[in-house]
Amino acid sequence: MRNEEPKSEPPARASGSVIVVGGGLAGLAAAVGLAGRGFKVTVLESRNRLGGRAGSFRDPQTDQLVDACQHVSMGCCTNFAHLLRTIGVEHLLSPQPKLYFVTPDRRVSVFKSDPWPAPFHLGRALMGAHYLTPFDKLRVAYGLGRMLLERPDADPPLLPWLKAHFQNERTIGRFWAIVLTSALNETVDRVGLKYARKVFRDGFVRHRDAFTVHVPSVPLGRLYGDELRGWLAAHGVEVRENAGVKRLTCTPSPSGTRISGAALRDGSTLTADWYVLAVPFDRVADLLPGELAGEPYFGGANGLTPSPITSVHLWLDRPTMKLPHAVLVDCLGQWVFDRGEVAPGEFYLQVVVSAARDLKGLGREEIQRRIYEELGRLFPPVAHAKLLRAKVVTEHTATFSAVPGVDRWRPPQASPVWNLAVAGDWTDTGWPATMEGAVRSGYLAAEAILARAGQPAKLVQPELS
C-alpha cells in the first residue's frame, strides 16, 4: 500500500500539541518518541491502565497483578529493548539463556547457544533435540537453508512450501510449528513464508544473541507502571486514563481534510495540532470521522483477520516445576511459565495456547481441566498438588493473522490526512504482530509527525546484524 501525501502541504510547524489515542505499546512508543521535542503530548487511554494487550488484571481474591497473557521478548527486538531502556525499566526483564523443550514422555532437551559465530551458534542445540530423528534434523537444516535463500518479500503459503522442500509431518509439527505458532500466533497451515522466514532469520540465524528470550520478572502492569508514568510526566507527557475516545472529528481545509478533535465518550472534545491513532485494527473504522470512511488507506484494516490466544492461570499449594519455563512439544499448551511463590503458600503457573481456535466452543472449565491434566502428566508434582484456583483468559483479537500476502492490508504510519499518523503492530512495520512491531510502529508514527512538522529525526533502532 502506497502512502499518498496531500497534494498541498500546509506550512510546517516547529512544535505543537499531539493527542495519542491509545495507551498500548504503539501509543506509548509514539509518545516517548515525541516527548522532549517541543510537543505537548497527551495520551488518551480508555482503560484504567497502560500497556494495551500487554497488560495485567487484578485478581479479585488476592489483589495480585496477573498478566492476561505472558508476553516475552527476544534479543532481536531492538526497538522494544530501546523503549524499556529509555524509560528505565530494562532491568525488569530476565534473560533466559536456555530454553527447555519437554515432550509427553517427560524428556527434556536444552536449547542454548554455543560461543561460535552465527549461524553456527545453535547447531549443536538443534542436533541435540531428542524429539527429532537424525534424518529429521537433516531435513530441518535443508529447509532452513532453502528458506534463507528465498527473497525477503516472497510470501506463498508456508505449508505447501515446506512440503515441497522435503519437510515431513514430524518436522512440521515438532520444529516449524513449535517455533512459528508461538512467534506468529498462527498455525503453519495459515501463515505465509515471509514472516516465517523473518522469524528464523532474525531470531535464530542472523545474530548469536537474537534468540535469547527475555521474560518480564514482574507483572506487565508493573513493567508499564510507576517508572513509565514518572518518565512521561518528567518529559511533559500527560496521560489520561479512563478517557475513551468515541470518534475523531475533522474539518476540510484548502490543503485537504484535517483532524480537528477527539470526541470523548464523556461528551467532551479535546483538540491538538497533530494526532496519532494507536488502536487495534478492529477499532480503526469505529473511530474515524465519516468523511474518511471511504478512504482506501484506512480500508486495509478491514482485510485483516484476528487470531486468538488463550492463557490458563493456575495457583497451586506447592512448587511443582524445577524449570523456569518449558516449551511443550506435541501438547495442547505451547509454553508453561513458573512464576514461583506469588503469595504465602501460593505457587503460580501460566500456560499459553497460541492460535487457540481449536478451543473455541469449549467452556473454561473444560479448557482448565485439559491443561491441568496435561501438566500433571508432564510434571508429576502438579498432579499431587492442590489446585487452589484457576482462571482461563482468551484474547479473541490478540493479533492479526500473518496469512500469505498480509502486507497488502497494512498501511504505512503517515496517513493521507496531513496531521494524522497511525500506529499499531498491524501497520506496515516489516515485523509480524509482536511487541517489537508495536514499538516500531509508534516510533515510525512519531517520525512521520516530526517530518511533517519540519523536525525530521530517526527514531527506529537498527536491527541486530
Side-chain angles (χ1 to χ4, degrees):
M1 185 176 296
R2 299 177 66 89
N3 182 20
E4 299 180 0
E5 295 285 351
K7 295 180 180 180
S8 177
E9 300 180 0
R13 295 189 56 173
S15 61
S17 55
V18 183
I19 286 178
V20 178
V21 180
L25 287 181
L28 293 172
V32 169
L34 293 169
R37 298 178 181 271
F39 295 91
K40 182 183 183 302
V41 182
T42 301
V43 177
L44 302 178
E45 169 55 45
S46 61
R47 297 184 245 198
N48 62 353
R49 60 170 179 80
L50 299 175
R53 285 164 290 165
S56 305
F57 62 88
R58 288 213 172 265
D59 178 18
Q61 291 182 279
T62 64
D63 203 39
Q64 295 172 13
L65 273 179
V66 179
D67 294 342
C69 182
Q70 180 68 66
H71 284 63
V72 302
S73 180
M74 294 177 67
C76 57
C77 299
T78 54
N79 287 274
F80 179 69
H82 177 266
L83 176 67
L84 298 193
R85 189 165 57 249
T86 299
I87 63 179
V89 296
E90 189 182 31
H91 64 285
L92 297 179
L93 290 185
S94 175
Q96 307 291 307
K98 299 177 182 179
L99 299 180
Y100 301 92
F101 288 74
V102 180
T103 47
D105 59 4
R106 303 174 189 165
R107 296 176 64 191
V108 180
S109 283
V110 180
F111 198 83
K112 64 178 182 178
S113 176
D114 282 316
W116 302 332
F120 307 106
H121 60 304
L122 296 177
R124 188 165 63 164
L126 175 61
M127 292 300 104
H130 74 271
Y131 47 89
L132 296 173
T133 69
F135 195 49
D136 288 338
K137 295 166 187 175
L138 291 177
R139 289 179 184 271
V140 167
Y142 175 78
L144 280 172
R146 291 300 303 266
M147 179 176 283
L148 295 173
L149 292 174
E150 291 281 359
R151 299 190 328 272
D153 60 344
D155 202 20
L158 178 63
L159 185 57
W161 186 96
L162 289 174
K163 292 179 177 179
H165 290 84
F166 306 107
Q167 302 306 300
N168 59 19
E169 183 177 346
R170 192 166 47 247
T171 61
I172 292 171
R174 291 189 162 195
F175 177 77
W176 301 99
I178 290 294
V179 174
L180 293 174
T181 302
S182 295
L184 299 177
N185 188 37
E186 192 51 279
T187 53
V188 170
D189 60 303
R190 295 175 65 93
V191 301
L193 174 66
K194 176 176 180 177
Y195 287 112
R197 178 184 182 276
K198 185 169 184 63
V199 167
F200 284 104
R201 177 179 179 269
D202 288 13
F204 296 91
V205 175
R206 192 174 183 183
H207 194 281
R208 64 182 314 276
D209 294 328
F211 94 102
T212 302
V213 170
H214 296 259
V215 180
S217 58
V218 297
L220 295 170
R222 165 77 171 80
L223 188 65
Y224 309 121
D226 292 341
E227 288 93 339
L228 168 62
R229 297 172 195 279
W231 190 95
L232 293 172
H235 290 77
V237 177
E238 180 186 3
V239 176
R240 296 184 57 176
E241 298 174 356
N242 297 310
V245 174
K246 183 177 181 181
R247 188 174 294 274
L248 297 178
T249 60
C250 66
T251 56
S253 72
S255 57
T257 300
R258 293 173 60 112
I259 301 299
S260 58
L264 274 60
R265 295 173 187 167
D266 65 7
S268 63
T269 298
L270 300 179
T271 62
D273 299 301
W274 306 93
Y275 297 81
V276 178
L277 184 60
V279 297
F281 65 88
D282 58 335
R283 290 282 294 130
V284 172
D286 294 337
L287 296 177
L288 288 176
E291 294 87 339
L292 299 178
E295 170 61 51
Y297 168 91
F298 298 103
N302 297 325
L304 297 170
T305 57
S307 185
I309 292 178
T310 293
S311 57
V312 180
H313 309 263
L314 304 169
W315 289 267
L316 307 169
D317 70 341
R318 68 195 71 179
T320 54
M321 286 180 59
K322 296 181 180 179
L323 304 175
H325 64 262
V327 184
L328 307 182
V329 181
D330 288 343
C331 294
L332 174 60
Q334 281 109 32
W335 284 77
V336 55
F337 297 89
D338 185 352
R339 302 313 300 260
E341 189 172 18
V342 294
E346 292 191 358
F347 298 82
Y348 170 44
L349 302 178
Q350 184 180 156
V351 179
V352 177
V353 184
S354 299
R357 289 187 186 87
D358 289 346
L359 301 183
K360 186 177 181 180
L362 297 179
R364 293 180 179 179
E365 291 185 1
E366 177 63 14
I367 296 171
Q368 172 191 317
R369 183 190 67 79
R370 294 187 185 189
I371 290 294
Y372 184 59
E373 291 182 356
E374 181 173 83
L375 288 184
R377 294 190 295 268
L378 293 168
F379 308 100
V382 172
H384 299 291
K386 179 182 179 181
L387 180 62
L388 301 176
R389 63 187 184 283
K391 190 173 183 66
V392 178
V393 179
T394 297
E395 178 67 59
H396 295 283
T397 56
T399 66
F400 68 83
S401 179
V403 298
V406 69
D407 282 352
R408 67 184 180 274
W409 296 310
R410 304 177 69 187
Q413 290 73 30
S415 88
V417 180
W418 176 255
N419 66 337
L420 174 67
V422 178
D425 60 8
W426 59 275
T427 61
D428 185 7
T429 66
W431 276 68
T434 58
M435 293 191 295
E436 171 71 6
V439 174
R440 286 177 64 90
S441 78
Y443 283 171
L444 288 166
E447 286 184 7
I449 287 179
L450 288 168
R452 290 180 175 180
Q455 302 181 49
K458 181 69 173 177
L459 302 177
V460 173
Q461 302 300 297
E463 297 182 349
L464 292 178
S465 60

